[in-house]
Amino acid sequence: MLIDTYGRVATDLRVSLTDKCNLRCTYCMPEEGLQWLAKPDLLTDDEIVRLIGIAVTALGITEVRFTGGEPLLRPGIVGIVERVAALEPRPQMSLTTNGIGLKRTAAALKAAGLDRVNVSLDTLRPDVFKTLTRRDRHKDVIEGLAAAHDAGLTPVKVNTVLMPGLNETEAPDLLAWAVQHEYELRFIEQMPLDAQHGWKREGMVTAGDILTSLRTRFQLTEEAATVRGSAPAERWLVDGGPHRVGVIASVTRPFCSACDRTRLTADGQVRTCLFASEETDLRAALRSDAPDEEIARIWRLAMWGKKAGSGLDDPSFLQPDRPMSAIGG
């Protein structure tokens, strides 16, 4: 079991498969990209599967989310999914992706055992997409979403970040589109994930702003807190249901007290929080032939030291220096 001093138990593992990405989103990284991790520093496929196996069989992990960077850039991703699906007990598996590679991989990922996907899409307008991501790939994302739905990677969730002066007015249109295509839309408050440290709290589109915009066109009925559980998204029924929309208010309404996550970076470090300033090295233990029991002990100790919160609700919060592309969302 991965328990901390506040009584929280981690059952959800986020695994970054790569720090690389084929987009250059303005709220994530500079236009010229970042200095990628050297290949010897990255975990191998075997090392990833071994660590997930320890987490599932010895530490109580029941859900595994593959992230990046862009996880579909990992050449061995289908094989990794297939091997994790063979674990006993079998964890639930999902993938967070920008969607560009889904058209060619969705069917294979489903066959390998992946359960569902979260796809990032911030706009319905190709020109705005190009401005936000610095790439002309909007059509690829739309086609990737359709491929995921057709492959049965459902519910297909769409993650959207709204930013002033770019896409802040699109919330009602995005929700209407998601309902039409049977996707579950989730708006996420912009967080300080950018390596260039350009995030400004006062310029953020808040959860309150988003809900006000949505209510100009839709009737929203909030789900009970008991339905939400430890999930980060507060959810509302749209026009009485069955469709839902979620809002993840990471900054204005932090949910740290219910956090059930542990994170594994692309280079084998345990992170207790997306915004933690400390990491615990599992790669060194792996490569020094430590037994599974010792690796599990190191992981437990790391999680025992997890802090009460992320610090995002503190106006003086400082962004971490480590590029978020290697940590995973």
Side-chain angles (χ1 to χ4, degrees), residues 149-193:
H149 184 274
D150 292 346
L153 292 170
T154 54
V156 174
K157 295 184 179 181
V158 177
N159 294 340
T160 297
V161 176
L162 297 180
M163 285 156 289
L166 288 171
N167 61 342
E168 63 182 318
T169 63
E170 285 196 62
D173 289 341
L174 280 158
L175 181 52
W177 166 82
V179 167
Q180 177 187 353
H181 292 279
E182 299 183 330
Y183 305 145
E184 183 173 322
L185 182 62
R186 306 191 313 170
F187 292 97
I188 304 175
E189 286 183 337
Q190 185 185 359
M191 295 180 285
L193 301 178

Short mmCIF file of all heavy atoms in Angstrom, two decimals, residues 149-193:
data_model
loop_
_atom_site.label_atom_id
_atom_site.label_comp_id
_atom_site.label_asym_id
_atom_site.label_seq_id
_atom_site.Cartn_x
_atom_site.Cartn_y
_atom_site.Cartn_z
N HIS A 149 -13.07 6.45 -30.63
CA HIS A 149 -14.48 6.11 -30.37
C HIS A 149 -14.87 4.84 -31.11
O HIS A 149 -15.48 3.93 -30.54
CB HIS A 149 -15.37 7.28 -30.80
CG HIS A 149 -16.82 7.09 -30.49
ND1 HIS A 149 -17.67 6.42 -31.35
CD2 HIS A 149 -17.57 7.46 -29.43
CE1 HIS A 149 -18.88 6.39 -30.82
NE2 HIS A 149 -18.85 7.02 -29.66
N ASP A 150 -14.49 4.75 -32.37
CA ASP A 150 -14.84 3.57 -33.17
C ASP A 150 -14.16 2.30 -32.66
O ASP A 150 -14.72 1.20 -32.78
CB ASP A 150 -14.45 3.80 -34.63
CG ASP A 150 -15.29 4.88 -35.30
OD1 ASP A 150 -16.33 5.26 -34.74
OD2 ASP A 150 -14.89 5.36 -36.38
N ALA A 151 -12.97 2.45 -32.07
CA ALA A 151 -12.24 1.29 -31.55
C ALA A 151 -12.78 0.82 -30.21
O ALA A 151 -12.40 -0.26 -29.73
CB ALA A 151 -10.76 1.63 -31.42
N GLY A 152 -13.65 1.61 -29.58
CA GLY A 152 -14.21 1.24 -28.29
C GLY A 152 -13.40 1.70 -27.10
O GLY A 152 -13.56 1.17 -25.99
N LEU A 153 -12.52 2.69 -27.29
CA LEU A 153 -11.74 3.24 -26.18
C LEU A 153 -12.58 4.29 -25.47
O LEU A 153 -12.27 5.48 -25.44
CB LEU A 153 -10.44 3.84 -26.71
CG LEU A 153 -9.43 2.83 -27.27
CD1 LEU A 153 -8.29 3.54 -27.99
CD2 LEU A 153 -8.89 1.94 -26.15
N THR A 154 -13.65 3.84 -24.87
CA THR A 154 -14.67 4.73 -24.31
C THR A 154 -14.78 4.57 -22.80
O THR A 154 -14.46 3.51 -22.26
CB THR A 154 -16.02 4.43 -24.97
OG1 THR A 154 -16.32 3.04 -24.83
CG2 THR A 154 -16.00 4.77 -26.46
N PRO A 155 -15.26 5.63 -22.10
CA PRO A 155 -15.64 6.91 -22.68
C PRO A 155 -14.44 7.70 -23.16
O PRO A 155 -13.43 7.78 -22.46
CB PRO A 155 -16.33 7.63 -21.52
CG PRO A 155 -15.70 7.04 -20.29
CD PRO A 155 -15.42 5.61 -20.62
N VAL A 156 -14.56 8.27 -24.35
CA VAL A 156 -13.51 9.15 -24.87
C VAL A 156 -13.67 10.50 -24.18
O VAL A 156 -14.71 11.15 -24.30
CB VAL A 156 -13.63 9.32 -26.40
CG1 VAL A 156 -12.62 10.35 -26.89
CG2 VAL A 156 -13.42 7.99 -27.09
N LYS A 157 -12.63 10.90 -23.45
CA LYS A 157 -12.68 12.17 -22.74
C LYS A 157 -11.83 13.20 -23.48
O LYS A 157 -10.74 12.88 -23.96
CB LYS A 157 -12.21 12.01 -21.30
CG LYS A 157 -13.13 11.10 -20.47
CD LYS A 157 -12.68 11.04 -19.02
CE LYS A 157 -13.63 10.15 -18.22
NZ LYS A 157 -13.24 10.09 -16.79
N VAL A 158 -12.33 14.40 -23.56
CA VAL A 158 -11.62 15.50 -24.21
C VAL A 158 -11.24 16.52 -23.15
O VAL A 158 -12.11 17.03 -22.43
CB VAL A 158 -12.48 16.15 -25.31
CG1 VAL A 158 -11.74 17.34 -25.92
CG2 VAL A 158 -12.85 15.13 -26.38
N ASN A 159 -9.95 16.81 -23.05
CA ASN A 159 -9.45 17.78 -22.08
C ASN A 159 -9.21 19.13 -22.77
O ASN A 159 -8.50 19.18 -23.78
CB ASN A 159 -8.13 17.31 -21.47
CG ASN A 159 -8.31 16.06 -20.62
OD1 ASN A 159 -9.40 15.74 -20.18
ND2 ASN A 159 -7.21 15.37 -20.39
N THR A 160 -9.76 20.20 -22.21
CA THR A 160 -9.68 21.52 -22.82
C THR A 160 -9.19 22.55 -21.81
O THR A 160 -9.68 22.60 -20.69
CB THR A 160 -11.05 21.95 -23.36
OG1 THR A 160 -11.45 21.06 -24.40
CG2 THR A 160 -11.01 23.37 -23.90
N VAL A 161 -8.23 23.35 -22.24
CA VAL A 161 -7.75 24.49 -21.46
C VAL A 161 -8.17 25.76 -22.19
O VAL A 161 -7.91 25.91 -23.38
CB VAL A 161 -6.21 24.45 -21.29
CG1 VAL A 161 -5.72 25.70 -20.56
CG2 VAL A 161 -5.78 23.20 -20.55
N LEU A 162 -8.84 26.67 -21.49
CA LEU A 162 -9.26 27.94 -22.07
C LEU A 162 -8.30 29.04 -21.65
O LEU A 162 -7.89 29.11 -20.50
CB LEU A 162 -10.68 28.29 -21.63
CG LEU A 162 -11.79 27.32 -22.06
CD1 LEU A 162 -13.14 27.81 -21.54
CD2 LEU A 162 -11.83 27.15 -23.58
N MET A 163 -7.97 29.91 -22.62
CA MET A 163 -7.04 31.00 -22.35
C MET A 163 -7.57 32.31 -22.90
O MET A 163 -8.15 32.34 -23.99
CB MET A 163 -5.67 30.68 -22.98
CG MET A 163 -4.89 29.65 -22.20
SD MET A 163 -3.70 28.78 -23.24
CE MET A 163 -4.79 27.80 -24.25
N PRO A 164 -7.39 33.39 -22.15
CA PRO A 164 -7.90 34.70 -22.58
C PRO A 164 -7.34 35.12 -23.93
O PRO A 164 -6.16 34.92 -24.22
CB PRO A 164 -7.41 35.65 -21.48
CG PRO A 164 -7.15 34.77 -20.29
CD PRO A 164 -6.70 33.46 -20.86
N GLY A 165 -8.22 35.65 -24.76
CA GLY A 165 -7.79 36.19 -26.04
C GLY A 165 -7.57 35.16 -27.12
O GLY A 165 -7.27 35.52 -28.26
N LEU A 166 -7.76 33.89 -26.81
CA LEU A 166 -7.54 32.83 -27.79
C LEU A 166 -8.80 31.98 -27.98
O LEU A 166 -9.37 31.94 -29.07
CB LEU A 166 -6.36 31.95 -27.38
CG LEU A 166 -4.98 32.60 -27.50
CD1 LEU A 166 -3.92 31.72 -26.85
CD2 LEU A 166 -4.64 32.81 -28.98
N ASN A 167 -9.22 31.29 -26.94
CA ASN A 167 -10.35 30.36 -27.07
C ASN A 167 -11.34 30.46 -25.92
O ASN A 167 -12.17 29.58 -25.74
CB ASN A 167 -9.84 28.92 -27.17
CG ASN A 167 -9.07 28.49 -25.94
OD1 ASN A 167 -8.61 29.31 -25.14
ND2 ASN A 167 -8.91 27.19 -25.77
N GLU A 168 -11.26 31.53 -25.13
CA GLU A 168 -12.07 31.60 -23.91
C GLU A 168 -13.58 31.64 -24.19
O GLU A 168 -14.37 31.31 -23.31
CB GLU A 168 -11.67 32.83 -23.09
CG GLU A 168 -11.92 34.16 -23.78
CD GLU A 168 -11.46 35.33 -22.93
OE1 GLU A 168 -11.70 35.31 -21.72
OE2 GLU A 168 -10.86 36.26 -23.49
N THR A 169 -14.00 32.00 -25.41
CA THR A 169 -15.43 32.08 -25.72
C THR A 169 -15.98 30.78 -26.29
O THR A 169 -17.17 30.70 -26.59
CB THR A 169 -15.69 33.21 -26.73
OG1 THR A 169 -15.02 32.90 -27.96
CG2 THR A 169 -15.20 34.54 -26.20
N GLU A 170 -15.15 29.78 -26.44
CA GLU A 170 -15.56 28.56 -27.14
C GLU A 170 -16.25 27.51 -26.27
O GLU A 170 -16.68 26.47 -26.79
CB GLU A 170 -14.35 27.90 -27.81
CG GLU A 170 -13.88 28.61 -29.07
CD GLU A 170 -12.94 27.72 -29.89
OE1 GLU A 170 -13.38 26.65 -30.35
OE2 GLU A 170 -11.77 28.11 -30.05
N ALA A 171 -16.34 27.73 -24.97
CA ALA A 171 -16.86 26.69 -24.08
C ALA A 171 -18.21 26.12 -24.52
O ALA A 171 -18.36 24.90 -24.64
CB ALA A 171 -16.92 27.19 -22.64
N PRO A 172 -19.23 26.95 -24.80
CA PRO A 172 -20.53 26.38 -25.22
C PRO A 172 -20.44 25.60 -26.53
O PRO A 172 -21.06 24.54 -26.67
CB PRO A 172 -21.43 27.61 -25.35
CG PRO A 172 -20.80 28.64 -24.47
CD PRO A 172 -19.33 28.41 -24.61
N ASP A 173 -19.68 26.09 -27.49
CA ASP A 173 -19.55 25.39 -28.77
C ASP A 173 -18.84 24.04 -28.58
O ASP A 173 -19.22 23.04 -29.20
CB ASP A 173 -18.76 26.24 -29.77
CG ASP A 173 -19.53 27.45 -30.26
OD1 ASP A 173 -20.77 27.45 -30.13
OD2 ASP A 173 -18.90 28.40 -30.76
N LEU A 174 -17.81 24.04 -27.76
CA LEU A 174 -17.10 22.78 -27.49
C LEU A 174 -18.01 21.76 -26.82
O LEU A 174 -17.98 20.57 -27.17
CB LEU A 174 -15.88 23.06 -26.62
CG LEU A 174 -14.65 23.62 -27.34
CD1 LEU A 174 -13.72 24.34 -26.36
CD2 LEU A 174 -13.89 22.50 -28.05
N LEU A 175 -18.84 22.20 -25.89
CA LEU A 175 -19.73 21.26 -25.21
C LEU A 175 -20.79 20.73 -26.18
O LEU A 175 -21.09 19.52 -26.18
CB LEU A 175 -20.39 21.92 -24.01
CG LEU A 175 -21.33 21.02 -23.20
CD1 LEU A 175 -20.65 19.71 -22.80
CD2 LEU A 175 -21.85 21.76 -21.97
N ALA A 176 -21.35 21.58 -27.02
CA ALA A 176 -22.34 21.12 -28.00
C ALA A 176 -21.72 20.08 -28.94
O ALA A 176 -22.34 19.06 -29.27
CB ALA A 176 -22.88 22.31 -28.79
N TRP A 177 -20.50 20.33 -29.38
CA TRP A 177 -19.79 19.40 -30.25
C TRP A 177 -19.51 18.07 -29.54
O TRP A 177 -19.70 16.99 -30.11
CB TRP A 177 -18.49 20.05 -30.69
CG TRP A 177 -17.49 19.14 -31.32
CD1 TRP A 177 -17.46 18.71 -32.62
CD2 TRP A 177 -16.35 18.55 -30.69
NE1 TRP A 177 -16.38 17.89 -32.83
CE2 TRP A 177 -15.69 17.77 -31.66
CE3 TRP A 177 -15.84 18.60 -29.39
CZ2 TRP A 177 -14.52 17.04 -31.37
CZ3 TRP A 177 -14.69 17.89 -29.10
CH2 TRP A 177 -14.04 17.12 -30.08
N ALA A 178 -19.09 18.13 -28.28
CA ALA A 178 -18.80 16.90 -27.53
C ALA A 178 -20.05 16.06 -27.33
O ALA A 178 -20.02 14.83 -27.47
CB ALA A 178 -18.18 17.26 -26.18
N VAL A 179 -21.15 16.70 -27.01
CA VAL A 179 -22.42 15.98 -26.85
C VAL A 179 -22.81 15.31 -28.16
O VAL A 179 -23.23 14.15 -28.20
CB VAL A 179 -23.53 16.95 -26.36
CG1 VAL A 179 -24.90 16.30 -26.50
CG2 VAL A 179 -23.27 17.36 -24.92
N GLN A 180 -22.67 16.03 -29.27
CA GLN A 180 -23.02 15.48 -30.58
C GLN A 180 -22.21 14.23 -30.91
O GLN A 180 -22.74 13.27 -31.48
CB GLN A 180 -22.78 16.55 -31.65
CG GLN A 180 -23.03 16.07 -33.07
CD GLN A 180 -22.63 17.10 -34.11
OE1 GLN A 180 -22.27 18.24 -33.78
NE2 GLN A 180 -22.67 16.73 -35.38
N HIS A 181 -20.94 14.21 -30.53
CA HIS A 181 -20.05 13.10 -30.89
C HIS A 181 -19.87 12.07 -29.77
O HIS A 181 -19.09 11.14 -29.92
CB HIS A 181 -18.68 13.65 -31.31
CG HIS A 181 -18.72 14.43 -32.59
ND1 HIS A 181 -18.71 13.82 -33.83
CD2 HIS A 181 -18.79 15.76 -32.81
CE1 HIS A 181 -18.75 14.74 -34.77
NE2 HIS A 181 -18.80 15.93 -34.19
N GLU A 182 -20.61 12.26 -28.67
CA GLU A 182 -20.57 11.32 -27.54
C GLU A 182 -19.20 11.26 -26.87
O GLU A 182 -18.74 10.21 -26.43
CB GLU A 182 -21.03 9.92 -27.96
CG GLU A 182 -22.45 9.88 -28.50
CD GLU A 182 -22.90 8.47 -28.84
OE1 GLU A 182 -22.04 7.64 -29.22
OE2 GLU A 182 -24.10 8.21 -28.73
N TYR A 183 -18.56 12.43 -26.78
CA TYR A 183 -17.33 12.56 -26.01
C TYR A 183 -17.67 13.23 -24.67
O TYR A 183 -18.63 13.99 -24.59
CB TYR A 183 -16.30 13.43 -26.74
CG TYR A 183 -15.95 12.99 -28.14
CD1 TYR A 183 -15.67 13.92 -29.13
CD2 TYR A 183 -15.87 11.63 -28.48
CE1 TYR A 183 -15.33 13.54 -30.42
CE2 TYR A 183 -15.53 11.24 -29.78
CZ TYR A 183 -15.28 12.20 -30.74
OH TYR A 183 -14.95 11.81 -32.01
N GLU A 184 -16.88 12.93 -23.66
CA GLU A 184 -17.08 13.59 -22.37
C GLU A 184 -16.06 14.72 -22.25
O GLU A 184 -14.86 14.47 -22.17
CB GLU A 184 -16.92 12.61 -21.21
CG GLU A 184 -17.21 13.27 -19.86
CD GLU A 184 -17.22 12.29 -18.70
OE1 GLU A 184 -17.71 11.16 -18.88
OE2 GLU A 184 -16.72 12.67 -17.62
N LEU A 185 -16.53 15.94 -22.23
CA LEU A 185 -15.67 17.12 -22.21
C LEU A 185 -15.31 17.50 -20.78
O LEU A 185 -16.16 17.50 -19.89
CB LEU A 185 -16.39 18.28 -22.90
CG LEU A 185 -15.64 19.59 -23.04
CD1 LEU A 185 -14.39 19.43 -23.89
CD2 LEU A 185 -16.56 20.66 -23.65
N ARG A 186 -14.03 17.83 -20.59
CA ARG A 186 -13.55 18.28 -19.28
C ARG A 186 -12.69 19.52 -19.47
O ARG A 186 -11.68 19.48 -20.18
CB ARG A 186 -12.74 17.17 -18.58
CG ARG A 186 -13.48 15.86 -18.48
CD ARG A 186 -12.79 14.89 -17.55
NE ARG A 186 -11.36 14.81 -17.81
CZ ARG A 186 -10.51 14.17 -17.00
NH1 ARG A 186 -10.95 13.60 -15.90
NH2 ARG A 186 -9.23 14.11 -17.29
N PHE A 187 -13.11 20.60 -18.85
CA PHE A 187 -12.33 21.83 -18.88
C PHE A 187 -11.35 21.82 -17.71
O PHE A 187 -11.69 21.44 -16.60
CB PHE A 187 -13.25 23.05 -18.78
CG PHE A 187 -14.13 23.25 -19.98
CD1 PHE A 187 -15.44 22.79 -19.98
CD2 PHE A 187 -13.65 23.90 -21.11
CE1 PHE A 187 -16.26 22.97 -21.09
CE2 PHE A 187 -14.45 24.09 -22.22
CZ PHE A 187 -15.76 23.62 -22.21
N ILE A 188 -10.12 22.24 -17.98
CA ILE A 188 -9.07 22.25 -16.96
C ILE A 188 -8.54 23.67 -16.82
O ILE A 188 -8.14 24.29 -17.82
CB ILE A 188 -7.92 21.30 -17.34
CG1 ILE A 188 -8.46 19.88 -17.58
CG2 ILE A 188 -6.86 21.29 -16.24
CD1 ILE A 188 -7.40 18.92 -18.08
N GLU A 189 -8.55 24.18 -15.60
CA GLU A 189 -7.94 25.49 -15.39
C GLU A 189 -6.47 25.44 -15.78
O GLU A 189 -5.77 24.47 -15.49
CB GLU A 189 -8.06 25.90 -13.92
CG GLU A 189 -9.46 26.31 -13.51
CD GLU A 189 -9.52 26.77 -12.06
OE1 GLU A 189 -8.64 26.39 -11.26
OE2 GLU A 189 -10.47 27.50 -11.72
N GLN A 190 -6.02 26.50 -16.45
CA GLN A 190 -4.62 26.54 -16.87
C GLN A 190 -3.71 26.55 -15.65
O GLN A 190 -3.87 27.35 -14.73
CB GLN A 190 -4.35 27.78 -17.72
CG GLN A 190 -2.93 27.81 -18.28
CD GLN A 190 -2.61 29.09 -19.02
OE1 GLN A 190 -3.46 29.96 -19.14
NE2 GLN A 190 -1.39 29.20 -19.50
N MET A 191 -2.75 25.63 -15.65
CA MET A 191 -1.81 25.49 -14.54
C MET A 191 -0.41 25.93 -14.98
O MET A 191 -0.13 26.00 -16.17
CB MET A 191 -1.79 24.04 -14.05
CG MET A 191 -3.10 23.56 -13.46
SD MET A 191 -3.02 21.84 -12.91
CE MET A 191 -3.08 20.97 -14.49
N PRO A 192 0.48 26.19 -14.03
CA PRO A 192 1.84 26.62 -14.39
C PRO A 192 2.69 25.45 -14.85
O PRO A 192 3.56 24.96 -14.14
CB PRO A 192 2.36 27.22 -13.08
CG PRO A 192 1.60 26.50 -12.01
CD PRO A 192 0.23 26.27 -12.59
N LEU A 193 2.46 24.99 -16.08
CA LEU A 193 3.18 23.85 -16.64
C LEU A 193 4.23 24.27 -17.65
O LEU A 193 4.93 23.42 -18.20
CB LEU A 193 2.19 22.89 -17.32
CG LEU A 193 1.09 22.32 -16.44
CD1 LEU A 193 0.17 21.43 -17.28
CD2 LEU A 193 1.67 21.53 -15.28
#
